Amino acid sequence: MSAPGFWDDPEAARKIVAERKRLVELLDPWEKTSSELNESKEFADLLAEAMDTGMLGELKAKVSAVEEGVRSLEFKKMLSGQNDAADAIVALNAGSGGTEAQDWAEMLLRMYLRYCERREWETEILELSEGEQAGIKSATFTVKGPYSYGYLKAESGVHRLVRISPYDANKRRHTSFASVFVYPDVQGDIEIEIKEEDLRIDTYRAGGKGGQKVNKTDSAVRMTHIPSGIVVACQNERSQHQNRAMAMKLLKAKLYDLETKKREAERDAIEASKKDIAWGSQIRSYVLQPYRMVKDHRTGVKIGDTDKVLDGDLQEFIESFLLGVRKGDTGPEDEEE
């Protein structure tokens, strides 16, 4: 940054400044914790020489501060992946099961929006397909905030709900599924080549319940990438041009994620036998009947306050997953439908 002409290219300079800030945020806590550890060692030596038991409480406080610092650093290490500091794009899809599954997908959407609100992250819904009677078939939204992708990537997978269905006149217990996929928000400096001839772009009229939620012009854009079969859509903006630009951004993010998975395919094949949960199976169950419990099958973490979890209190699940916590039997229980 001190080099002559550093600010001649403002865009490149801003990226360097952002990278420096990220590194400082990691190094400063490391230096503080390292200093506290050295002080604790010196204090322990003094205590051993003086044999002053009154100083024991002060030593315990110093050690606790070091332990907390180490835990914080260990967690930050889990967010050191290539894209962990990036913003996130979250896509939700209801599983089979009609209204019940679509209602569950909408509950998940609210849960994640509340989680982002708790962390003071900015969200924007790009696409939302409503169910015929209730709930949603799918939704896609962006999240802007420090390390939002690093945190939310822990939520990718299938989520299961067990409850007495409010849509069943016989009040039977139902099991519903919805999938969550999280992608890094691809920045402009990442090379993703998309040829115009590989795209099919359709425009359609965006509309919501009562026709009041969005405008009624043909401003919505659906973009299909023919070679990969990836389809993205955006209807949030009033301008077709803006929706097209946002759809292209979403397509780049999904293509980047696809390429990353291809590069990791060989490694994943080797590690597959060691994984607790295979791709496509549930990562978490939300049981509201006959008892109330949310359990993460990857870590074994259980929380009995289901209302708190569904209101966006997900931090314990996310931190435990990123830290590699494993608590006893993490296999899914067979719930009766």
Side-chain angles (χ1 to χ4, degrees):
M1 290 174 62
S2 62
F6 175 75
W7 288 102
D8 290 351
D9 185 344
E11 184 64 27
R14 278 193 290 270
K15 291 177 182 177
I16 297 294
V17 171
E19 175 68 6
R20 179 188 181 278
K21 180 181 179 182
R22 186 182 71 81
L23 293 172
V24 167
E25 288 175 352
L26 184 64
L27 289 171
D28 282 357
W30 164 261
E31 291 174 352
K32 179 183 177 183
T33 302
S34 181
S35 175
E36 289 175 341
L37 177 59
N38 290 330
E39 289 178 7
S40 297
K41 289 178 179 178
E42 293 172 1
F43 195 85
D45 291 339
L46 289 174
L47 179 59
E49 293 176 3
M51 297 298 291
D52 185 353
T53 56
M55 298 169 65
L56 189 58
E58 189 174 348
L59 176 60
K60 288 181 178 179
K62 288 181 178 292
V63 171
S64 294
V66 172
E67 288 177 339
E68 181 60 32
V70 170
R71 175 178 169 80
S72 176
L73 286 168
E74 184 179 12
F75 184 67
K76 285 186 177 182
K77 189 185 71 170
M78 298 298 102
L79 295 174
S80 60
Q82 181 180 356
N83 298 303
D84 284 351
D87 295 334
I89 297 173
V90 183
L92 294 90
N93 291 278
S96 58
T99 301
E100 179 69 23
Q102 291 164 14
D103 189 49
W104 171 225
E106 187 172 44
M107 290 169 64
L108 283 176
L109 174 62
R110 179 188 179 277
M111 181 181 77
Y112 288 120
L113 293 178
R114 288 286 293 121
Y115 174 72
C116 295
E117 182 182 328
R118 286 168 179 262
R119 297 197 63 87
E120 299 183 347
W121 291 340
E122 180 183 345
T123 59
E124 180 182 4
I125 294 179
L126 301 181
E127 178 271 335
L128 190 145
S129 176
E130 296 172 342
E132 287 82 2
Q133 296 182 13
I136 60 172
K137 296 177 181 177
S138 64
T140 304
F141 64 95
T142 59
V143 184
K144 295 183 178 179
Y147 290 91
S148 54
Y149 173 69
Y151 282 94
L152 289 171
K153 69 180 182 183
E155 293 299 295
S156 284
V158 176
H159 296 246
R160 181 178 69 161
L161 172 70
V162 181
R163 67 170 178 175
I164 299 294
S165 172
Y167 306 101
D168 187 336
N170 296 317
K171 301 299 180 183
R172 290 172 296 187
R173 192 150 57 106
H174 285 248
T175 299
S176 306
F177 295 88
S179 62
V180 178
F181 298 97
V182 183
Y183 311 94
D185 191 345
V186 179
Q187 300 301 309
D189 59 341
I190 297 178
E191 295 290 336
I192 297 291
E193 182 183 2
I194 300 178
K195 299 177 181 178
E196 196 70 27
E197 59 266 28
D198 289 340
L199 292 178
R200 184 174 71 246
I201 300 174
D202 303 305
T203 59
Y204 58 97
R205 181 167 295 179
K209 293 177 180 177
Q212 299 298 315
K213 289 192 175 181
V214 288
N215 64 36
K216 291 189 174 182
T217 63
D218 289 340
S219 59
V221 173
R222 182 183 297 109
M223 194 174 287
T224 304
H225 186 249
I226 298 169
S228 65
I230 292 175
V231 180
V232 297
C234 185
Q235 64 182 33
N236 187 60
E237 307 294 340
R238 303 191 74 83
S239 159
Q240 185 184 121
H241 176 75
Q242 291 174 313
N243 279 327
R244 178 175 174 139
M246 190 60 73
M248 180 65 75
K249 182 178 183 179
L250 179 56
L251 177 59
K252 285 185 177 182
K254 291 194 174 186
L255 285 172
Y256 180 86
D257 182 71
L258 181 64
E259 288 302 312
T260 299
K261 284 181 169 59
K262 285 180 179 178
R263 289 196 297 267
E264 294 176 350
E266 184 175 345
R267 185 197 67 187
D268 288 347
I270 296 172
E271 294 293 326
S273 61
K274 303 177 184 177
K275 292 181 178 179
D276 296 328
I277 300 295
W279 173 256
S281 61
Q282 66 230 27
I283 64 168
R284 192 177 300 145
S285 289
Y286 306 71
V287 182
L288 306 185
Q289 182 72 24
Y291 56 91
R292 299 178 72 85
M293 178 74 69
V294 182
K295 177 179 178 180
D296 194 297
H297 301 299
R298 302 163 301 177
T299 63
V301 172
K302 300 177 182 178
I303 294 179
D305 192 341
T306 55
D307 291 336
K308 181 177 72 171
V309 173
L310 291 172
D311 196 42
D313 193 345
L314 302 171
Q315 198 63 14
E316 184 175 350
F317 289 121
I318 291 174
E319 288 191 8
S320 296
F321 174 76
L322 294 177
L323 289 169
V325 171
R326 295 291 183 273
K327 294 184 176 180
D329 178 17
T330 57
E333 302 90 354
D334 292 326
E335 298 291 347
E336 207 178 293
E337 291 195 9

